[in-house]
C-alpha cells in the first residue's frame, strides 16, 4: 500500500507565500513523475506543476514565475513553494505520483487526500 500525505496548506493573504509538502510512504520501488494539482468546486482538477526524477519541471502558465516545484528522490518527497499568491490560487491542492511498487510492474497513479489553500484578505 502506498500513501501520499500532504501538509502545509492554510489561509494566506494575497501576495503572501506558502509551502506545500508531500511525502510518499509504503511499498515503493521507484517514483517516476510527481506533481501538484489543484481543484475548485465545479471545475476539473488541473496540473499546477510537475517534476520528473531528473528534476525537469513543468508549470501551468498561471503559476509560472511564482511557484517552484522540487523533490528529494531519497526521501520520496515533493514540495511546492508558492509566492505572490492570488485569490484565484484558492483551491484544494493534491499531490500526485506515478509510483512503481513491484520491480516487474508498470508504475501506477497515486493521489494524496488534498490540502486546502485559501488566499484571502
Amino acid at each position: 500500500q502506498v500513501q501520499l500525505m500532504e501538509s502545509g496548506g492554510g489561509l494566506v493573504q494575497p501576495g503572501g507565500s506558502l509551502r506545500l509538502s508531500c511525502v510518499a510512504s509504503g511499498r515503493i520501488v521507484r517514483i517516476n513523475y510527481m506533481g501538484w494539482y489543484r481543484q475548485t468546486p465545479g471545475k476539473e482538477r488541473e496540473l499546477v506543476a510537475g517534476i520528473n526524477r531528473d528534476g525537469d519541471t513543468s508549470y501551468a502558465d498561471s503559476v509560472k514565475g511564482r511557484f517552484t516545484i522540487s523533490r528529494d528522490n531519497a526521501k520520496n518527497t515533493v514540495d511546492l513553494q508558492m509566492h505572490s499568491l492570488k485569490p484565484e490560487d484558492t483551491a484544494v491542492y493534491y499531490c500526485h505520483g506515478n509510483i512503481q511498487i513491484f520491480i516487474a510492474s508498470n508504475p501506477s497513479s497515486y493521489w494524496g487526500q488534498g490540502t486546502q489553500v485559501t488566499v484571502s484578505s
Side-chain angles (χ1 to χ4, degrees):
Q1 186 75 9
V2 173
Q3 288 187 327
L4 274 65
M5 182 69 68
E6 303 104 334
S7 62
L11 173 64
V12 62
Q13 292 187 344
S17 299
L18 211 55
R19 187 178 184 89
L20 304 182
S21 296
C22 173
V23 57
S25 62
R27 184 189 178 99
I28 297 171
V29 172
R30 179 186 174 94
I31 302 178
N32 296 322
Y33 192 83
M34 300 190 81
W36 286 94
Y37 290 70
R38 66 187 181 188
Q39 188 171 23
T40 55
K43 293 188 177 181
E44 292 189 357
R45 194 171 295 186
E46 64 171 356
L47 176 65
V48 175
I51 184 169
N52 64 15
R53 286 188 62 86
D54 295 330
D56 299 320
T57 59
S58 61
Y59 296 93
D61 288 341
S62 60
V63 307
K64 282 181 181 176
R66 300 189 297 123
F67 291 10
T68 301
I69 188 170
S70 61
R71 67 185 283 177
D72 185 326
N73 292 332
K75 296 181 180 179
N76 292 335
T77 60
V78 60
D79 292 345
L80 185 68
Q81 179 66 54
M82 305 183 290
H83 294 298
S84 303
L85 282 161
K86 306 175 182 180
E88 50 263 44
D89 293 318
T90 296
V92 178
Y93 284 70
Y94 296 91
C95 175
H96 173 263
N98 283 327
I99 301 174
Q100 188 178 357
I101 62 172
F102 295 104
I103 293 176
S105 68
N106 292 322
S108 298
S109 182
Y110 293 88
W111 293 91
Q113 293 296 311
T115 184
Q116 177 70 45
V117 171
T118 302
V119 184
S120 175
S121 56

